[in-house]
Amino acid sequence: MHKVDLVSHGLLGSMIAGLSFGKKYRLLGYVATIVGSVAHDFDIITFLKGPKAFYKYHREITHSLLGTVVLGLLISIGVRLFTPVHDWATVLAMVGAGLLSHLAMDILTPWGLPLFYPFKSKKYSLDLIWFFDPVVISGLVAGVYLGYQVPENSAFSYLASFAVVISYLAYRVRQKRKARKIVLEELGPDKGAAVFVLPSAVSPFLWDVIVKERNRYIHFCVDTRRKEILSKEEFCSGAFHRCVKSSRDSDYVDIFLKRSRFPFYNVTRKADQTYTVEWSDVHLANLGGVHGVVVQLDGNGEIIEEKLQIKKPVRRKKKSGAV
């Protein structure tokens, strides 16, 4: 998924360069802009230390405004030192265009961006597309391919590609509103519950609508094409237990709760007097990937074992009905 994500960022950077810097600066314009467009994801190197490190550091400081400024300066210094272009404004513009295009794409996805990190941990997201969207990446691939095949009309190809992607995003905004309306009609009069509408995998017609009511969540899978609710599930944390507090001493849980938007937990006691605290996220539990943490504790609340819950992203389809 992340490799595809890098490809989409690179394709977007390539088209931006072709429309602005490519004709005058040729290869340099493309390289500087494309490097800027993928630079935020250099934190993928943390995966070498395992999924825990990647899950902790990916989309943190590198995806903030402060991190963007630092990356921009570092890359621009490198470009200025090792190329014949010594105009700071031009170099910063090329690199900056790529960097901003990366943030623009990432903020469309549900993981969110900590724009004001490390001063504020709040993450911002438009919740319009999943991390890999076939329509978006197909539009970008088509634009770059046509621009390469017919270079005299490359600007037209790039602009047409942008128009297709923007139109598609506008269509998704309409579908998102429709999904929200379908669920609100199901719920009846508004009781002040918070309603979140998020993309469900890759289909433009499937949406996850999560309603938060005090200590429980109601998850709806909505098909806007059929105008119906495919499934309805309730998620609620179990009774509070001292082991829940103890489990939060786990590094995995600490990382997970900083990432999770809709967390809940369950506690089970085994015959050998040990406890299992399972932390999950409502949205991720229905999509796969890293969706929670399991912590094993002894009778005194000391952590014995901890591990991330990871599964393949498989959409569970079923008829409407609470669980």
Side-chain angles (χ1 to χ4, degrees):
M1 178 182 296
H2 296 286
K3 291 182 179 179
V4 174
D5 193 41
L6 284 173
V7 170
S8 63
H9 286 305
L11 291 170
L12 180 59
S14 176
M15 289 198 295
I16 291 174
L19 286 171
S20 52
F21 311 106
K23 290 184 178 181
K24 182 176 181 180
Y25 297 99
R26 299 181 181 277
L27 181 60
L28 173 61
Y30 281 95
V31 171
T33 308
I34 292 174
V35 169
S37 69
V38 300
H40 292 87
D41 283 345
F42 287 170
D43 59 10
I44 197 173
I45 195 173
T46 57
F47 199 82
L48 294 175
K49 289 192 173 182
K52 177 182 176 181
F54 177 76
Y55 194 65
K56 180 177 182 179
Y57 295 110
H58 183 54
R59 282 205 184 190
E60 283 295 327
I61 185 63
T62 59
H63 286 69
S64 68
L65 295 178
L66 176 61
T68 300
V69 171
V70 173
L71 284 172
L73 290 175
L74 291 175
I75 297 171
S76 297
I77 290 172
V79 171
R80 196 166 183 269
L81 287 176
F82 298 103
T83 67
V85 178
H86 298 295
D87 179 7
W88 268 112
T90 300
V91 173
L92 287 171
M94 289 189 291
V95 176
L99 290 167
L100 292 177
S101 72
H102 189 114
L103 295 183
M105 287 194 70
D106 277 0
I107 204 168
L108 298 173
T109 63
W111 204 343
L113 299 179
L115 294 178
F116 301 103
Y117 185 90
F119 309 105
K120 289 177 63 177
S121 59
K122 180 180 178 180
K123 295 188 176 182
Y124 299 85
S125 171
L126 296 179
D127 294 328
L128 276 183
I129 59 175
W130 191 236
F131 301 98
F132 167 71
D133 189 287
V135 176
V136 172
I137 197 168
S138 296
L140 296 177
V141 169
V144 171
Y145 177 77
L146 292 174
Y148 176 77
Q149 292 294 323
V150 192
E152 62 273 17
N153 293 323
S154 61
F156 175 79
S157 299
Y158 298 153
L159 290 174
S161 176
F162 284 137
V164 169
V165 171
I166 292 173
S167 298
Y168 171 68
L169 293 177
Y171 177 75
R172 287 197 67 102
V173 170
R174 291 170 53 195
Q175 296 301 307
K176 181 177 179 178
R177 291 174 178 172
K178 186 182 294 186
R180 180 185 179 91
K181 181 179 179 181
I182 291 171
V183 168
L184 289 179
E185 289 176 350
E186 171 75 11
L187 291 175
D190 184 15
K191 298 180 180 180
V195 180
F196 304 86
V197 185
L198 302 99
S200 177
V202 296
S203 172
F205 304 110
L206 292 181
W207 294 86
D208 288 316
V209 183
I210 298 173
V211 180
K212 184 177 181 180
E213 295 181 335
R214 294 185 180 180
N215 64 339
R216 72 166 181 161
Y217 300 99
I218 308 176
H219 173 271
F220 298 87
C221 179
V222 180
D223 186 331
T224 54
R225 182 171 59 88
R226 298 180 181 178
K227 298 182 180 180
E228 67 176 357
I229 295 173
L230 299 180
S231 68
K232 176 183 177 183
E233 296 179 83
E234 292 188 14
F235 296 86
C236 184
S237 295
F240 182 78
H241 189 277
R242 58 185 175 83
C243 285
V244 174
K245 182 178 180 180
S246 298
S247 72
R248 299 190 67 163
D249 293 332
S250 162
D251 289 339
Y252 282 109
V253 173
D254 181 59
I255 296 168
F256 176 74
L257 291 180
K258 288 179 180 178
R259 295 281 187 180
S260 176
R261 295 174 63 177
F262 311 101
F264 66 100
Y265 62 81
N266 281 298
V267 183
T268 56
R269 183 179 180 180
K270 296 183 178 180
D272 59 0
Q273 305 303 310
T274 61
Y275 294 87
T276 300
V277 180
E278 183 177 353
W279 289 91
S280 299
D281 181 277
V282 174
H283 188 224
L284 298 179
N286 284 275
L287 291 172
V290 176
H291 65 95
V293 180
V294 175
V295 182
Q296 303 284 346
L297 306 101
D298 63 21
N300 296 318
E302 297 295 326
I303 297 175
I304 302 172
E305 183 183 1
E306 53 186 344
K307 63 180 180 179
L308 293 174
Q309 297 187 81
I310 304 175
K311 67 178 182 180
K312 294 181 179 180
V314 178
R315 161 55 57 191
R316 296 179 290 171
K317 292 183 179 180
K318 51 191 172 185
K319 294 297 182 180
S320 177
V323 176

